[in-house]
Amino acid sequence: MNRRTAIDPRQAALMALGWTLSDDERASRLLALTGLDPADLRSRLEDDAVLAAILRFLETHEPDLIACADAIDVPPADLVASREALER
């Protein structure tokens, strides 16, 4: 069953990225786990694969997913649905 998200997937990913980068340790973990460097991340912000990777990063650690969703005021399921939409 395909679930549509109430938020634009790209907007959700960019908001999630902002939240992720607000903490140095979490930002370092994102870069290490995705293999991106800061310049690459900046230059590929319109790449759906990169945006999906940001959301998948949060999904791999549920406390971060929930905290991010709370901080950007969207249900965690919408972040997951956004990642799924970006991967299509």
Side-chain angles (χ1 to χ4, degrees), residues 11 27 31 35 40 47 60 63 66 69 84 86:
Q11 180 184 5
L31 296 176
D40 193 32
D47 183 339
T60 63
I66 292 168
E84 291 170 347
L86 290 165

Side-chain angles (χ1 to χ4, degrees), residues 17 21 31 36-47 50:
L17 175 62
L21 296 179
L31 296 176
L36 296 166
D37 63 47
D40 193 32
L41 182 59
R42 275 190 295 278
S43 69
R44 296 182 59 200
L45 284 178
E46 294 184 21
D47 183 339
V50 170

Side-chain angles (χ1 to χ4, degrees), residues 21-72:
L21 296 179
S22 70
D23 177 85
D24 289 341
E25 185 177 321
R26 191 172 43 242
S28 294
R29 197 165 30 97
L30 170 70
L31 296 176
L33 292 175
T34 62
L36 296 166
D37 63 47
D40 193 32
L41 182 59
R42 275 190 295 278
S43 69
R44 296 182 59 200
L45 284 178
E46 294 184 21
D47 183 339
D48 285 353
V50 170
L51 296 176
I54 292 162
L55 294 171
R56 184 170 294 284
F57 164 78
L58 293 172
E59 283 182 66
T60 63
H61 188 67
E62 188 176 18
D64 280 351
L65 177 68
I66 292 168
C68 177
D70 185 53
I72 65 173

